[in-house]
């Protein structure tokens, strides 16, 4: 080995990321020390081996197609860092997440493909822990909302109703000619009616007790009716008969619909909105579509508008996916799919 080749080999072995080069037959021709550490296979065994040995079996069938497509594009390189997580397989058979970049080079001996791989197990684990913490925080917050709503409904609203009944009794006992007192009591009764209604509205906004007492479908129906009354927008509702869900899915679906309708009321200037919820054995899907003004998905997001961000966050906490389709003047459609895990299912 001449000095230049030795220097190159030293540089490759000093890299912290795995560097692997394969030929057009996907046989490994270069395999650095970091690759040995990450995958657990020594270089002596890997040189000449097929790249498939380093990937889980379920990805091997599609790998050749990806390489062929990359080769056909004529692009010389594709960088890591775009958020795509791939999976490798160690010598002991254990899978692990990784980021990868790939480049291709034409040589006198044929085309070579070089991949640079980075083990992101710790980062993925940290993200999963953060998501679990966020999900737990959401659960605690919903529990607090439920407690406060129940106290507002059962304690404050009932106390105000009792106070109203006492005020009516006092009014009925007034002697004839006490017009000033009667007028004041009338004002008090009107204020009590307004306060009772506001208390019940605030309690329902915090958490409708229908969701806990009667289930998701009646709560969604109440939500749609309440939205139409407040916003003056017609709402067509389609809810699958089998949509009833256990927690935290019921609350998540309810909140996503609630926030979607709030966005319609605030921004869409729509005359009609459709809400559709379906349940399968594996997932719950929902759609909220309006005929409003729409918006450009490519336009910069208003930093003060967190509605769509909140929808994505709620769905992602349960490993769901949110798809938004909108164009100026053509309304907005929000589709959400959340996979359902049965109670007691293993992680």
């Amino acid at each position: 080995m001449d000095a230049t080749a030795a220097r190159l080999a030293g540089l490759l072995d000093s890299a912290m990321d795995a560097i692997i080069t394969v030929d057009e037959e996907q046989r490994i021709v270069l395999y650095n020390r970091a690759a040995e550490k990450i995958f657990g296979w020594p270089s002596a065994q890997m040189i000449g081996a097929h790249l498939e040995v380093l990937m889980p079996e379920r990805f091997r069938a599609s790998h050749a197609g990806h390489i062929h497509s990359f080769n056909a594009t004529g692009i010389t390189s594709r960088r890591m860092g775009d958020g795509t997580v791939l999976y490798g397989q160690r010598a002991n058979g254990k899978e692990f997440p990784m980021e990868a970049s790939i480049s291709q080079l034409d040589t006198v001996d044929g085309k070579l493909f070089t991949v640079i791989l980075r083990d992101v197990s710790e980062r993925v684990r940290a993200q999963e822990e953060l998501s679990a913490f966020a999900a737990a925080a959401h659960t605690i917050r919903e529990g607090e909302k439920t407690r406060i709503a129940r106290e507002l409904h059962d304690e404050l609203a009932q106390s105000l109703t009792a106070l109203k009944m006492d005020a009516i009794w006092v009014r009925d006992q007034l002697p004839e000619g006490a017009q000033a007192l009667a007028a004041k009591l009338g004002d008090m009764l009107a204020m009590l009616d307004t306060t009772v209604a506001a208390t019940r509205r605030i309690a329902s906004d915090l958490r409708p007790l229908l969701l806990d007492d009667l289930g998701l479908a009646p709560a969604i129906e109440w939500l749609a009716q309440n939205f139409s009354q407040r916003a003056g927008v017609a709402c067509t509702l389609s809810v699958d008969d089998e949509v009833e869900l256990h927690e935290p899915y019921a609350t998540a679906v309810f909140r996503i619909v609630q926030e979607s309708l709030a966005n319609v009321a605030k921004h869409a200037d729509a005359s009609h909105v459709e809400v559709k919820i379906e349940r399968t054995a594996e997932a719950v899907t929902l759609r909220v579509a309006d005929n409003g003004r729409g918006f450009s998905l490519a336009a910069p997001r208003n930093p003060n508008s967190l509605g769509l961000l909140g929808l994505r966050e709620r769905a992602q906490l349960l490993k769901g996916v949110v798809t938004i389709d909108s164009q100026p003047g053509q309304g907005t459609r929000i589709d959400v799919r959340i996979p359902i895990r049965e109670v007691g299912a293993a992680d």
Side-chain angles (χ1 to χ4, degrees), residues 262-324:
N263 286 337
V264 172
K266 289 178 183 177
H267 308 296
D269 193 22
S271 61
H272 181 265
V273 61
E274 175 191 6
V275 177
K276 185 175 183 180
I277 304 175
E278 295 180 329
R279 167 75 193 272
T280 67
E282 297 81 20
V284 59
T285 61
L286 66 94
R287 169 175 293 179
V288 179
D290 67 70
N291 66 347
R293 67 182 62 179
F295 63 96
S296 172
L297 295 172
R301 184 177 62 84
N302 184 341
N304 296 320
S305 178
L306 301 177
L308 296 180
L309 189 63
L311 294 181
R312 293 187 188 278
E313 179 186 0
R314 284 191 183 276
Q316 288 171 358
L317 286 175
L318 296 175
K319 302 186 184 303
V321 177
V322 177
T323 304
I324 300 171

Side-chain angles (χ1 to χ4, degrees), residues 82-206:
D82 62 354
T84 302
V85 175
L86 308 175
Y87 284 86
Q89 181 171 282
R90 306 190 201 276
N92 60 8
K94 184 177 180 181
E95 295 183 15
F96 68 97
M98 60 187 183
E99 283 186 341
S101 65
I102 183 172
S103 61
Q104 55 180 306
L105 178 67
D106 287 313
T107 72
V108 294
D109 296 320
K111 184 165 289 188
L112 296 178
F113 299 90
T114 297
V115 289
I116 300 177
L117 305 167
R118 180 175 301 163
D119 186 341
V120 293
S121 299
E122 291 302 319
R123 191 186 72 191
V124 170
R125 186 178 298 111
Q127 289 173 340
E128 290 175 348
E129 290 176 354
L130 182 60
S131 294
F133 174 79
H138 270 280
T139 300
I140 292 171
R141 187 168 65 184
E142 287 293 340
E144 282 298 296
K145 286 183 177 181
T146 301
R147 181 185 63 80
I148 295 170
R150 184 72 67 180
E151 289 184 0
L152 284 172
H153 183 273
D154 293 348
E155 300 294 334
L156 184 56
Q158 290 185 17
S159 296
L160 289 170
T161 300
L163 185 59
K164 176 184 175 181
M165 295 175 64
D166 289 344
I168 291 173
W169 182 87
V170 171
R171 182 194 62 186
D172 293 343
Q173 303 306 312
L174 288 177
E176 293 185 9
Q179 288 87 356
L181 288 174
K184 175 57 79 174
L185 279 170
D187 291 342
M188 290 173 62
L189 287 168
M191 182 174 292
L192 282 168
D193 284 337
T194 301
T195 304
V196 169
T199 301
R200 287 176 174 161
R201 175 180 57 78
I202 293 169
S204 294
D205 287 345
L206 278 170

